[in-house]
Amino acid sequence: MIIMSKKNTIISLVINIIIALSTSGIIVSYFCGNDGQYHIPPEFRFFLFTTDSNILCMAAAVIMAYFEIRYLKTGKEIPRAAIVFKLIGSSAVALTFAVVVLFLGPMTDFISIVFGGTSIYMHFAGPILSCISFCFIENIHRISKRMLISAVVPTLIYGAVYTVMVVFIGSENGGWIDFYQFNTGGFWYLSCIAVFLVSFGLAAILRLIHNKNAGSSR
């Protein structure tokens, strides 16, 4: 393990607190009249990977913040599990960022879907903050390749639920509409493969950069 400097610990702590407060504030706002430009009801928000990935990222940030405060007070090291969880959360929101910027944005109104309302945080600022802190500031505990599997588990779980609700049940039978347009032309299986590969690739890139800044990759 490489010891994180006090300066980096404080910077990381501030970022993790910002992530926790911003995400929780936006989630609460959904139940206080904020239905966004697409007039999405609060309960439906939790069907969206954007919301779920940001909640996961928030949980990772809260855990990191707890151990960083403990480290600053007692000098007790931040556990490897906290860093791995931060990789999982960062990978999830990185996927959100990639899908919105590279797929959904160009297919719709790019400016509004990426930067409109709270989307500027959920689609852009939140993912950027989490990935920057994980890659360049939280430079402790190199992460092994086998941990990449854990980073794509949230994508696999969500993908399975999305496929069942959209493809096998369908909106006409009480399932979900294809709001991510992954079943366009009936090619849902190609979308599943593509999203998994992108998710794994993003996790691998984050791990590589993190490990490089933690000393060396392995």
Side-chain angles (χ1 to χ4, degrees):
M1 185 194 76
I2 296 175
I3 301 298
M4 187 158 57
S5 68
K6 183 177 180 180
K7 176 183 176 181
N8 279 2
T9 303
I10 293 173
I11 294 173
S12 173
L13 175 60
V14 170
I15 291 175
N16 285 318
I17 290 174
I18 289 173
I19 290 172
L21 292 179
S22 298
T23 305
S24 59
I26 290 171
I27 297 300
V28 170
S29 77
Y30 294 153
F31 298 90
C32 300
N34 174 25
D35 59 359
Q37 60 185 323
Y38 298 108
H39 306 293
I40 301 174
E43 60 277 8
F44 187 81
R45 293 277 185 176
F46 296 94
F47 298 163
L48 304 176
F49 189 74
T50 292
T51 303
D52 298 338
S53 64
N54 274 275
I55 290 175
L56 182 63
C57 181
M58 177 184 67
V62 169
I63 290 173
M64 275 296 297
Y66 167 78
F67 286 114
E68 285 168 339
I69 293 172
R70 189 185 70 170
Y71 171 69
L72 290 171
K73 286 185 175 181
T74 68
K76 192 172 183 179
E77 71 177 47
I78 298 170
R80 185 183 301 274
I83 295 295
V84 173
F85 194 23
K86 187 64 181 288
L87 168 64
I88 295 172
S90 297
S91 298
V93 290
L95 179 61
T96 293
F97 174 86
V99 170
V100 169
V101 171
L102 301 177
F103 181 67
L104 294 179
M107 291 180 63
T108 55
D109 183 351
F110 185 88
I111 298 298
S112 64
I113 196 171
V114 178
F115 300 110
T118 56
S119 292
I120 192 172
Y121 175 83
M122 302 292 271
H123 291 159
F124 182 75
I128 293 296
L129 283 174
S130 185
C131 291
I132 286 178
S133 64
F134 173 76
C135 288
F136 300 105
I137 302 172
E138 295 155 358
N139 53 353
I140 52 176
H141 295 304
R142 291 191 296 272
I143 297 175
S144 64
K145 290 181 180 178
R146 66 178 180 273
M147 289 295 101
L148 290 176
I149 299 301
S150 63
V152 298
V153 167
T155 302
L156 291 174
I157 293 174
Y158 183 85
V161 173
Y162 188 88
T163 299
V164 169
M165 296 301 290
V166 171
V167 179
F168 297 108
I169 297 179
S171 59
E172 65 278 4
N173 296 314
W176 300 346
I177 61 172
D178 186 19
F179 43 81
Y180 285 128
Q181 303 180 54
F182 287 159
N183 194 36
T184 301
F187 295 117
W188 59 270
Y189 48 92
L190 295 180
S191 296
C192 287
I193 294 171
V195 170
F196 172 78
L197 291 176
V198 170
S199 178
F200 187 86
L202 289 170
I205 292 171
L206 292 175
R207 170 192 170 268
L208 183 66
I209 299 173
H210 172 86
N211 280 359
K212 182 178 180 180
N213 287 290
S216 63
S217 181
R218 62 174 180 174

